[in-house]
Amino acid sequence: MLGWGAFFGVIAAEPVLSAHLPGPALVGVLGGIVGVIVVCAFGVVAQAEHLAHRLGDPYGTLVLTLSIVLIEVVLISAVMLGPGEHATIARDSVMAVSMIIMNLVIGVALLVGGLRHDTLEPNRTGVSAYLSLLVVLSTLAFALPGLIGSGGAYGAGQEIPVIVLTVLLYAFFLQRQMGKQRGDFQEVSAQHDTTPERRTAITEVLSQHRSELALRALALVLTVVPIVLLSHDMAALLDDGLDRAGAPVALSGILIAMIVFLPETITAIRAAHSGEIQRVSNLCHGALVSTVGLTIPAVLTIGLLTGQTVVLAESPTNLVLLGVTLLLSITTFAGKKVTPLHGAAHLLVFLIYGLAVFS
């Protein structure tokens, strides 16, 4: 109701919003729209969490992460298709998501969980699968465009193979995660569940709770739609506000990433507090795999259809930070358990990333 009410309010105030608003008014309106989008995002995650609880892992976590990725794609697309030049918005947003998830969220989660629980043992095979995909997908997204592309962007003849190969790899990952390897993405204590039992369980859930699942899915969609509708106005006001403030271009992508992943951040920290470290990995690493595996192809496709250039190549500084983050993630989850020291190291990398953005 809040989301739809805000949307109709924006339509009614369109003549005022299209004028050159004074600074305080611009901040107020932008803050109000962002606030409504955040509340709606929490509503989406709330419905997704109910679905996740009913379906169980890894099915439920997948519903949650795909809902978040849908919101991110909508916001990035709104900025791309809005006024002004936003050739780097996808790169800035996905890079910010990578740093926020893999360093800030995981760092805080490991601190919270490690200080409360003596033993946090991740399912190393599942985490290794996530990180293997992230190494490949991050290279395709941020490194190769600067090496084989032109001006930091893939050429038209390169974009189509990249889109197809990325989607195929992600589809194969989903097929394995939902199929024979689903035990690799469950808590260590639950990974010995047999395959027939898991299949029977999800089948029974779908048949016994068909009405509830359908209604929650409908509520999720009805809560996403206001985000889609409000995102265009948010993009225009944000662009105007950042121009007036002389803020770094990447700050727009960081703000989108923070809006999108705030609800999932809280969910991940709650899971860490409960000692569910594999759920933290499923939420964080799984969300990032979905983000890179789906957002980049979606944005490249939009660029092809609209004739816009999508610059993906990252700066040497951010490439170094991304490489350090991936290496740190591998060493963090390679041991038998994770500790608060690992979390502190991740948080330091995030702070360095923040320093680099404003340097």
Side-chain angles (χ1 to χ4, degrees), residues 8 16 44 47 53 69 76-77 97 101 103 113 118 126 148 172 188 212 262 264 272 313 340:
F8 289 118
V16 177
V44 172
Q47 296 302 327
H53 176 73
V69 171
I76 292 175
S77 302
V97 166
I101 288 180
N103 290 315
D118 293 332
I148 66 174
F172 182 61
V188 172
E212 179 193 350
L262 177 61
E264 193 161 16

Side-chain angles (χ1 to χ4, degrees), residues 49-73:
E49 279 189 322
H50 283 295
L51 291 171
H53 176 73
R54 181 65 72 189
L55 296 173
D57 271 336
Y59 306 99
T61 301
L62 181 63
V63 172
L64 183 59
T65 55
L66 290 180
S67 301
I68 295 296
V69 171
L70 173 62
I71 296 173
E72 184 187 25
V73 170

Side-chain angles (χ1 to χ4, degrees), residues 73-323:
V73 170
V74 166
L75 293 180
I76 292 175
S77 302
V79 175
M80 281 183 62
L81 300 175
E85 290 292 328
H86 300 283
T88 64
I89 185 63
R91 179 196 70 186
D92 296 337
S93 297
V94 177
M95 182 66 185
V97 166
S98 302
M99 293 293 105
I100 289 172
I101 288 180
M102 298 190 75
N103 290 315
L104 178 60
V105 179
I106 286 182
V108 173
L110 295 186
L111 275 178
V112 170
L115 292 174
R116 181 175 174 82
H117 302 275
D118 293 332
T119 302
L120 289 176
E121 184 180 356
N123 195 326
R124 285 179 285 178
T125 304
V127 179
S128 174
Y130 283 134
L131 295 178
S132 297
L133 264 68
L134 287 175
V135 169
V136 175
L137 293 175
S138 298
T139 302
L140 277 174
F142 300 124
L144 276 183
L147 298 174
I148 66 174
S150 175
Y154 283 120
Q158 297 169 330
E159 286 182 336
I160 295 176
V162 169
I163 292 170
V164 172
L165 293 174
T166 301
V167 171
L168 286 177
L169 177 61
Y170 183 74
F172 182 61
F173 160 72
L174 287 185
Q175 187 267 332
R176 296 297 298 181
Q177 187 186 35
M178 298 295 104
K180 292 185 177 181
Q181 285 188 244
R182 61 184 170 278
D184 296 335
F185 302 94
Q186 298 170 354
E187 297 294 332
V188 172
S189 59
Q191 66 179 333
H192 299 298
D193 291 344
T194 61
T195 299
E197 290 177 343
R198 299 302 295 175
R199 286 178 177 170
T200 302
I202 191 64
T203 304
E204 289 179 356
V205 168
L206 292 174
S207 61
Q208 293 177 3
H209 304 280
R210 186 181 298 110
S211 298
E212 179 193 350
L213 295 175
L215 287 173
R216 290 200 180 280
L218 177 62
L220 189 150
V221 171
L222 289 176
T223 314
V224 165
V225 173
I227 297 177
V228 177
L229 299 174
L230 288 169
S231 59
H232 176 76
D233 297 281
M234 186 208 76
L237 294 171
L238 180 62
D239 189 46
D240 187 14
L242 291 178
D243 282 344
R244 295 190 197 183
V249 177
L251 200 59
S252 177
I254 294 174
L255 181 59
I256 288 176
M258 292 176 66
I259 292 171
V260 169
F261 282 93
L262 177 61
E264 193 161 16
T265 296
I266 296 174
T267 304
I269 294 173
R270 285 176 180 168
H273 188 265
S274 301
E276 299 174 314
I277 193 61
Q278 185 56 40
R279 179 161 168 78
V280 172
S281 175
N282 290 342
L283 286 165
C284 295
H285 296 133
L288 190 53
V289 168
S290 299
T291 296
V292 185
L294 294 177
T295 302
I296 296 299
V299 170
L300 288 176
T301 301
I302 292 172
L304 282 173
L305 295 176
T306 61
Q308 294 191 49
T309 300
V310 179
V311 176
L312 293 176
E314 264 295 358
S315 65
T317 301
N318 281 346
L319 286 177
V320 169
L321 288 173
L322 182 60

